[in-house]
């Protein structure tokens, strides 16, 4: 499995859902849940469908236009709403809202009175007027707002819109606990008001996802087909790290014939997050078949395929095609994981130069991402260029918040071999890298003082820097310490390669010192790790 890094993006934000019935109701629901762009799309899409009340649809389109700062468009929609049904009171509220925005309170009040003529003692209408005042200037119109709220309470204390408005006001003032209590009351008074559940859930989906999950499950129990609830529940599951559950809820939504096309790609990514790589691959492949230019689906197809062992022989052409599509269109953006997976394929195919080009682009795009430098180091290892590998890995360490023991050991390894690489033609550069190896070995030893590996590096450096006449003895002190640590706290067989190097070196040292018994002690330890090495065994048995 090639999955190493997943970079979280807020990919669920702005996703939209719709229910099976295609009327103004779905758009109204999205508007009340503060998802205005999705509400607008639904209202326009379904404007001419049977069952759509055009007066209602125009009212919400007008409110969305006002929110976007387009007063002229808002006035157009409210006027169209009045033409569609002069008895529907809310479009007069909209026209009053327009007048307030223009600073003509007298004209606004005339429109509000006209609205009240057609909506006598309607508490939700009073709240709509209160919202108009609030949206223009909550301080200047505080008395007007309170008057309308008082009317609404007088006519129906259990009107959910009262508590939704009060909750919104508290949320605006960052009183999130008070807002949640108001939204909960709205849901209690009107269980069929999905916006009450959604607004409540949205307060908690980041800080306490379980609260959001519980509330949205209540909504789905009352309305199992609520696409809005499915979307929000998927979001809450995602924030809770429950990716399989998130994908399950999203899967219900994308089967809805009235779903938003842009959300199909997100489902493939959610399948990826949930670990259903085959499902994610199949779904994104179907999207690509329907639209071969769907770059996002192409990304998720490759991303999921890269986790499927059986598809390993198909990954390289997919990586090539994906990178070509990315380079061909500046709007075809990558996330970090795309760069990582594509570079890994090029590197595995022994094409390190191409892998380096991918990663250098990634670093130029996001220079603070340590993963890019780590992958870049591996491409240089594939080229047997340990000097550049050491420099690239240093970028990884410099951009990592808390590098650990293994990170320091890895850089000690790279810098040691960079020293070896430069020792013949550039001794001064070699010495620089040996000093760096010592530094990183020291950092590793500070974290795990009982581990043998830093001591072995000290011995390795000593051998490399010693004059030829002293090479056979230079590493003895450090290797002796390393062996003692290894045998005291670790299983030498787990580190057989390193252990055999040190046992053989020390054995030969003591053999040169005519201490055959000590030499055989180390040689026999070597044989315990390599018992089938008959040539070595005969050599040891022949020692006198």
């Amino acid at each position: 499995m090639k999955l190493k890094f997943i970079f979280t993006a807020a990919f669920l934000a702005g996703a939209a859902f719709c229910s099976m019935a295609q009327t103004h109701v779905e758009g109204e629901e999205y508007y009340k849940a503060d998802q205005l762009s999705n509400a607008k799309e639904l209202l326009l899409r379904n404007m001419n469908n049977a069952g759509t009340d055009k007066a209602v649809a125009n009212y919400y389109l007008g409110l969305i236009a006002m929110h976007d700062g387009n007063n002229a468009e808002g006035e157009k929609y409210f006027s169209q709403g009045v033409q569609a049904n002069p008895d529907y009171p809310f479009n007069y509220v909209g026209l009053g809202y327009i007048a307030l925005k223009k600073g003509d309170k007298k004209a606004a009040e005339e429109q509000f009175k006209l609205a009240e003529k057609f909506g006598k003692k309607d508490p939700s209408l009073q709240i709509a007027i209160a919202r108009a005042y609030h949206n223009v200037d909550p301080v200047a119109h505080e008395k007007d707002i309170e008057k309308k709220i008082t009317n609404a309470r007088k006519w129906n204390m259990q009107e959910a819109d009262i508590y939704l408005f009060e909750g919104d006001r508290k949320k605006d003032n960052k009183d999130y606990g008070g807002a949640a209590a108001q939204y909960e009351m709205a849901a209690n008074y009107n269980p069929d008001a999905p916006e009450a559940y959604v607004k409540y859930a949205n307060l908690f989906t980041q800080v306490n996802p379980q609260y959001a999950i519980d509330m949205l499950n209540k909504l789905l129990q009352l309305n199992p087909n609520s696409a809005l609830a499915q979307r929000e529940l998927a979001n809450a599951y995602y924030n809770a790290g429950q990716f399989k559950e998130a994908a399950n809820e999203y899967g219900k939504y994308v089967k809805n014939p009235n779903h938003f096309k842009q959300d199909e790609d997100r489902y493939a990514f959610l399948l990826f997050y949930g670990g259903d790589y085959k499902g994610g691959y199949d779904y994104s492949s179907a999207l690509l078949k329907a639209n071969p230019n769907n770059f996002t689906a192409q990304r998720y197809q490759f991303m999921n395929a890269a986790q499927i062992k059986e598809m390993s022989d198909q990954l390289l052409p997919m990586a090539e095609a994906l990178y070509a599509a990315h380079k061909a269109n500046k709007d075809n953006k990558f996330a970090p994981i795309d760069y990582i997976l594509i570079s890994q394929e090029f590197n595995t195919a022994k094409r390190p130069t191409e892998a380096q080009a991918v990663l250098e682009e990634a670093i130029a795009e996001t220079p603070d991402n340590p993963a890019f430098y780590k992958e870049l180091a591996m491409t240089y290892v594939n080229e047997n260029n340990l000097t550049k590998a050491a420099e690239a890995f240093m970028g990884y360490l410099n951009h990592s918040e808390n590098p650990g023991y293994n990170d320091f050991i890895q850089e000690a390894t790279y810098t040691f071999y960079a020293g070896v690489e430069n020792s013949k033609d550039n001794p001064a550069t070699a010495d620089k890298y040996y000093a760096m190896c010592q530094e990183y070995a020291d950092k590793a030893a500070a974290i795990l003082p009982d581990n043998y590996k830093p001591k072995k590096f000290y011995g390795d450096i000593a051998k490399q820097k010693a004059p030829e006449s002293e090479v056979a003895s230079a590493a003895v002190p450090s290797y002796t310490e390393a062996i003692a640590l290894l045998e005291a706290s670790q299983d030498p067989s787990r580190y057989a390669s390193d252990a055999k190097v040190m046992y053989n070196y020390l054995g030969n040292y003591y053999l040169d010192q005519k201490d055959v018994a000590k030499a055989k002690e180390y040689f026999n330890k070597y044989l315990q790790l390599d018992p089938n090495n008959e040539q070595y065994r005969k050599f040891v048995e022949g020692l006198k």
Side-chain angles (χ1 to χ4, degrees), residues 5 7 366-375 377 390-411 440 443 447:
F5 306 94
F7 301 83
T366 316
D368 293 334
N369 191 321
F372 297 148
Y373 298 93
K374 192 173 189 179
E375 291 294 328
E391 295 300 324
F393 201 82
M394 200 176 304
Y396 165 75
L397 292 175
N398 290 340
H399 290 89
S400 297
E401 288 187 11
N402 293 300
Y405 173 85
N406 289 332
D407 295 323
F408 293 130
I409 288 295
Q410 186 67 70
E411 182 66 334
Y440 288 112
K443 290 181 177 181
I447 296 173

Side-chain angles (χ1 to χ4, degrees), residues 118-400:
F118 294 105
K120 293 179 179 179
K121 294 189 177 181
D122 181 348
S124 62
L125 183 68
Q126 295 295 303
I127 295 302
I129 297 172
R131 281 188 182 275
Y133 281 122
H134 178 271
N135 291 342
V136 173
D137 191 331
V139 176
H141 298 299
E142 184 178 2
K143 290 183 179 179
D144 299 299
I145 294 168
E146 294 303 327
K147 179 180 178 181
K148 297 305 176 184
I149 294 175
T150 299
N151 288 343
R153 290 183 182 278
K154 179 171 62 177
W155 294 329
N156 183 4
M157 276 290 294
Q158 297 185 2
E159 171 57 52
D161 283 353
I162 298 171
Y163 303 98
L164 289 166
F165 180 48
E166 294 285 33
D168 290 346
R169 290 210 292 172
K170 289 182 181 296
K171 184 176 71 172
D172 290 345
N173 291 323
K174 303 189 184 307
D175 179 6
Y176 301 118
Q182 294 294 321
Y183 295 149
E184 192 168 18
M185 288 178 70
N188 288 337
Y189 285 134
N190 184 4
D192 295 325
E195 64 272 19
Y197 300 85
V198 173
K199 285 175 178 284
Y200 176 94
N202 284 342
L203 289 173
F204 294 101
T205 189
Q206 294 289 343
V207 296
N208 193 332
Q210 193 58 50
Y211 279 19
I213 290 168
D214 293 343
M215 192 61 153
L216 292 164
N217 273 317
K218 289 180 183 178
L219 175 57
L220 281 171
Q221 289 172 8
L222 294 166
N223 185 357
N225 296 318
S226 172
L228 176 62
Q230 290 167 357
R231 181 265 178 189
E232 296 299 329
L233 183 58
N235 192 15
Y237 277 129
Y238 174 76
N239 287 324
Q242 299 179 38
F243 302 128
K244 289 183 179 179
E245 292 82 355
N248 182 56
E249 292 304 322
Y250 214 98
K252 295 174 185 177
Y253 160 64
V254 295
K255 293 175 183 176
N256 187 323
N258 199 29
H259 68 268
F260 292 88
K261 294 295 290 182
Q262 64 265 28
D263 292 330
E264 294 174 345
D265 300 334
R266 296 188 181 101
Y267 179 47
F269 196 39
L270 256 180
L271 289 168
F272 173 79
Y273 257 89
D276 186 0
Y277 306 123
K278 182 63 165 60
Y281 173 79
D282 290 343
Y283 189 77
S284 52
S285 297
L287 296 179
L288 271 176
K289 186 175 181 181
N291 177 12
N293 296 319
N294 187 334
F295 177 70
T296 305
Q298 187 180 5
R299 289 180 55 227
Y300 295 158
Q301 181 195 52
F302 174 64
M303 197 181 299
N304 280 285
Q307 316 312 318
I308 302 172
K309 183 178 180 181
E310 294 76 15
M311 297 194 68
S312 58
D313 60 345
Q314 302 176 47
L315 294 179
L316 181 59
M318 292 173 68
E320 292 171 329
L322 181 58
Y323 194 59
H326 163 70
K327 297 298 284 185
N329 187 337
K330 62 181 178 59
D331 293 327
N332 287 347
K333 303 292 186 182
F334 274 166
I337 191 171
D338 299 297
Y339 289 113
I340 294 291
L341 293 175
I342 291 171
S343 67
Q344 286 177 350
E345 283 310 306
F346 287 148
N347 205 33
T348 300
K350 306 300 181 185
R351 291 157 58 178
T353 302
E354 291 169 85
Q356 288 155 18
V358 173
L359 291 165
E360 284 163 2
E361 178 188 331
I363 289 170
E365 185 78 21
T366 316
D368 293 334
N369 191 321
F372 297 148
Y373 298 93
K374 192 173 189 179
E375 291 294 328
L376 185 59
M378 289 305 301
T379 70
Y380 288 122
V381 171
N382 259 8
E383 281 188 330
N384 291 318
N385 189 336
L386 276 300
T387 301
K388 284 194 172 182
E391 295 300 324
F393 201 82
M394 200 176 304
Y396 165 75
L397 292 175
N398 290 340
H399 290 89
S400 297

